[in-house]
Amino acid sequence: MKPDSYISHLELGEKDETFLDSNELIINMGPQHPATHGVLRVILKLDGEKVLGTECVIGYLHRGVEKIAENRTYTMFNPYVDRMDYVAAVSNGLGYCEAVEKLLNVEAPPRAKYIRVILTELNRITSHQLWLGTHALDIGAITPLFYTFRDREEILKIFEKYCGARLTTHAFRIGGCQYETYEGFEQDVKKFLDFFKPKIDEYEELLTTNRIWVERTKGVGLISGKECIALGVTGPVLRASGVRWDIRKAQPYAAYSDFQFEIPIGQNGDTYDRYLVRMAEMRQSVRIIEQAVGGIPEGPIMAKVPKVLKPPVGEIYHSIEAPKGELGYFIVSDGSTQPYRLRVRPPSFVNLQALDMMVRGQLVADVIAVIGTLDIVLGEVDR
Amino acid sequence: MVGKLKGQFGSGISEASTYLGQNYFVVDRSLIPEFLQVLRDQEQFDYCVDITAVHYPKREKPFDVIWILYSFPRNERIRVKTLIADGETLPSSVPIWPTTNWLEREVYDMFGIRFEGHPDLKRILLPEGWKGHPLRKEYGIIQQDKEWVQINLGIESGQ
Amino acid sequence: MLDYITSYLRSNTTPGQAGNIFWAFVYIVLIFLGLSIAVIAMNWLERKILAHMQVRLGPMRVGPHGLLQPIADALKLLLKEDIMPAEADKAVFWAAPLMVVITAFTVFIVVPFGPTHAVTDMNIGILFMLGVSSLGVLGIVMAGWASNSHYPLIGALRSSAQMVSYEIAMGLAVVAAVLMTSLSGIGVYGIGGSGDGTGTLSMIGIVQAQQAQHVWFIFKFFPLGLIAFFIFAVAMVAETNRAPFDLPEAESELTAGFHTEYSGFRWSLFFLAEYSAMIAVSSIAVTLWLGGWMRPFPTWLSGETWDLIFSLFPAATFLLLALIAFLGTIRMPKHPYFRIQTLGLGGFAVLLGLIGLVLLIPDVRNRVQDIYWFSIKVAGFMYLYIWYRGTFPRYRFDQLMKMGWKVLLPMGIGVLILTALVGVL
């Protein structure tokens, strides 16, 4: 394996022959680099500090999740999805469970749906908190990281009390939830919301009007709504470019149609707008949880599903709005207990494609800012 | 829509139906770039969600290649499926949707289906020089390219 | 011989001026030790203060409240394997950290800790300081080049560009202060008595000018002194490569910038140089604008009583620290596991208390209080450095340049012209 084989398309650019004959610099950023959020390797072609082109080399964390799925039963595969986007494991689980439920043509009971919404939205908050902390750290503000991690801990405690795990929760089962809410779950969640609302203001106080933060993020990594759609970019990145599209509203799943909430959008499609959109999304998540936790209906938490799951022959695609964008599951069943083929449509993987377009012509420091703002998780990019 | 498309493409569309509320087309391989182009331009399917493939080793044409499309104006999803034989290539849809660049690379990486006209078709998740395409059914779950592992990682057992 | 040694004690100048090599050597050793201790203390304080700003505890394991953490770190660095990249330019790679450290320490020759407490007093003191401290960038460029690697190279390029741009603004601010030593001004700007028209570049002379004019230059020609001070305060952060101007070592972009390839002892030399450079530029700021070794309100609160009260401050500080350490000792858990720690902290309290008591002796306290006030002012700047680091994100390279050339430089020229005009009129 020659390393040169990776830089092929970067060589396409015409060399700028001046009398000074400026030499282009090829820099290998990653796979071990403090700001690539895991094992992303970006090959940068630089002219001084200016980025002439990039190429992402991914796959360092490839575990063959889709192959594993073909060799596990539907139930056995459920915990594996938590290991893809490990900072938003609950969302992964929700998407998978709903996709299999759709294939089985069953529906989770309303109580289970409400619990699912509460946990998923809490998980969206943790994901955004982690994004905010690391993004700010990349841009050089080290303090927000500790603030967000302090508050994230409170949510993880709720997860731990509910299902025993903090990160890779495996909270849901096909057909509903395995666990009934514990004694005092509602109070815990309400207490957290009261605790958390002023904290969002605290984060914003640190950054939103901070001059250096604004200078570092405004106009950086521009992407228009049209380009987002062409590149398949979804989630907060798409919304910050002014496209009001959220699967929770467009094609509601779980119990989202029962709740009032808004889709925050930005106008400029730059890093600052993406920051504002995610901050607003945290507030909307709080709003959804507030409505949900007050009205959890009584009833069973599991639908009637057989012990051994044998979905009828057929194909299904189901997607949800994960914190990072559209997370889809395409499942082909051959009538046996194992999926014949399971394809995950990971939002991080597709969003990462936009990196090259967003940083071309900008500076090295902007590459870091854009990697942060795309909010990728390498576990999901590589699967 | 189905009627209009059937009128346009005739017998190339071998199936257009709905399963569990999800619509899909099965079209002939020869229709591929034009059909997708029409879907994007005339039917406003402006967002290609995903491209993937399924391997049925016992079939005559062992690969299903599936495009999952979404239309923002219509808020509608659709799947387009085509059947191809092993070794057969498909025209790339990167000119239609730039997002398919990496998706097609992944299909190539996992199934060995080549896309003609793709700007930079090479492996994406597996390292360059790896032998085999893991999501094919004959590829075992614990199978690895022992030679590659021995050369590049220096692990004697190759596992 | 003995006479040679004791004769200096009766003189009223710095050892350099008195031509007494023995005492000059003693001063150099004292400054070197003091500086090393200050860097070690700064290391601990930075981690601790930053930690408390970020709702965490910081080092807590090595010694009570992590007091011995810097020593453990230093040991670790000294014992680490010394790695030199195979492709590096060996000689330059070896020389670069030395270059940085030597320049960072050399500037302290002219830093006036008191009217006689400097190794020497040069008549071009401030120029010497600026000149030598800007040589440090050479070491950084050497480090970046010799590493023969991309990240250090970019870090070194950034560093040199940054230092060159900010040196100019810094120099203009310094010239404004030097002008103030000779100018008196009229009207509302007449506050602060008269300048005699003979300016000075000597560090001690600048403080003496502030003493004679009864004003700290930060308040002179209000707001000109303040603006010049502000320019210097920004430029000095950029000069020392600290947040928010820490681009040469921006860990999220360039892993560690110019010292990416350095490890162990060589790396610790860079660390030492960075912190002593911080102390050095803070010393310049204190000397030029904040009255150097002068105690607060020397004219307003004058008289024997006030002199006595202010001269008791150093002793009071040490006794207070001793009290805190003593209370800490009492509050240590009574478990046998903590016995050594308790003893250590108790010993530390006793040591601090003893220093405090020694400082009560009239002869000592009169000689030492200058150093105390100087150090307190410098410590204030050190705290600001930590505070910046906890608060600000990092500037981007083009924004940094824009700020240096388009904001600070015109401001510096403006302040310089106005100072001259106001002073002459």
Side-chain angles (χ1 to χ4, degrees), chain C residues 10-45:
Chain C
R10 286 188 299 277
S11 76
N12 217 3
T13 51
T14 58
Q17 281 169 304
N20 195 314
I21 293 173
F22 174 79
W23 279 101
F25 185 71
V26 169
Y27 270 43
I28 288 174
V29 170
L30 280 179
I31 287 176
F32 187 77
L33 286 179
L35 210 56
S36 307
I37 291 170
V39 171
I40 288 172
M42 180 69 191
N43 180 359
W44 181 78
L45 278 173

Side-chain angles (χ1 to χ4, degrees), chain A residues 118-137:
Chain A
I118 293 170
L119 291 178
T120 314
E121 288 305 313
L122 282 175
N123 201 197
R124 187 183 309 276
I125 294 176
T126 63
S127 172
H128 281 358
Q129 278 174 327
L130 193 112
W131 156 81
L132 177 66
T134 50
H135 184 38
L137 184 70

Side-chain angles (χ1 to χ4, degrees), chain C residues 145-218:
Chain C
W145 180 256
S147 301
N148 204 357
S149 160
H150 289 323
Y151 285 123
L153 184 63
I154 294 182
L157 285 176
R158 281 182 175 189
S159 176
S160 48
Q162 177 178 336
M163 286 207 173
V164 167
S165 345
Y166 277 78
E167 205 119 87
I168 298 168
M170 196 180 197
L172 288 171
V174 166
V175 174
V178 170
L179 275 185
M180 286 177 187
T181 60
S182 66
L183 299 176
S184 59
I186 49 150
V188 282
Y189 293 116
I191 48 150
S194 60
D196 50 9
T198 54
T200 177
L201 288 170
S202 141
M203 296 289 272
I204 289 182
I206 290 169
V207 181
Q208 277 163 349
Q210 297 181 49
Q211 222 160 10
Q213 298 180 20
H214 303 296
V215 67
W216 289 5
F217 283 163
I218 185 174

Side-chain angles (χ1 to χ4, degrees), chain C residues 173 180 217-218 220-233 289 408 411-412 414-415 418:
Chain C
M180 286 177 187
F217 283 163
I218 185 174
K220 194 170 176 178
F221 298 155
F222 187 81
L224 291 179
L226 196 63
I227 296 173
F229 170 74
F230 168 77
I231 294 170
F232 189 91
W289 280 281
L408 291 185
M411 256 168 85
V415 164
L418 283 178

Side-chain angles (χ1 to χ4, degrees), chain C residues 84 88-98 142 146 262 266:
Chain C
M84 191 182 278
D89 186 334
K90 299 277 184 317
V92 185
F93 191 85
W94 178 82
L98 288 183
M142 279 159 67
Y262 281 86
R266 283 179 226 278

Side-chain angles (χ1 to χ4, degrees), chain A residues 25-29 33-35 46 49 137-143 146-147 150 210 212-213 215-216 220 363 365-366 368, chain C residues 50 53-56 150-151 153-154 158 243-244 251-255 389-399 402-403:
Chain A
L25 200 62
I26 293 201
I27 270 202
N28 218 339
M29 192 180 260
H33 186 278
L46 300 178
E49 290 253 335
L137 184 70
D138 287 348
I139 291 187
I142 39 182
T143 308
F146 296 99
Y147 283 45
R150 173 193 62 192
N210 187 325
I212 305 180
W213 177 263
E215 277 188 37
R216 277 301 301 277
V220 170
L363 302 176
D366 295 334
I368 304 299
Chain C
L50 210 54
M53 282 176 180
Q54 296 169 340
V55 290
R56 57 196 173 91
H150 289 323
Y151 285 123
L153 184 63
I154 294 182
R158 281 182 175 189
E251 79 278 349
S252 59
E253 295 156 27
L254 305 179
T255 52
R389 196 175 158 199
T391 315
F392 292 128
R394 187 177 302 113
Y395 265 112
R396 207 170 59 199
F397 191 63
D398 57 328
Q399 291 159 353
K402 208 165 39 179
M403 175 129 154

Side-chain angles (χ1 to χ4, degrees), chain A residues 226-227 229-232, chain B residues 1 4-5 8-9 25 31-49 67-74 76 78 80 92-100:
Chain A
K226 272 218 170 90
E227 288 163 339
I229 293 170
L231 282 167
Chain B
M1 186 177 96
K4 207 172 102 192
L5 287 170
Q8 199 173 341
F9 290 99
F25 287 104
L31 290 185
I32 269 318
E34 292 80 24
F35 187 71
L36 297 172
Q37 188 81 45
V38 164
L39 278 179
R40 190 196 72 171
D41 294 341
Q42 290 170 19
E43 307 294 337
Q44 295 173 308
F45 283 94
D46 41 6
Y47 164 32
C48 178
V49 181
W67 286 259
I68 303 169
L69 308 177
Y70 178 80
S71 162
F72 279 93
R74 304 158 69 125
E76 213 177 281
I78 202 168
V80 178
S92 168
S93 40
V94 175
I96 309 175
W97 297 285
T99 178
T100 54

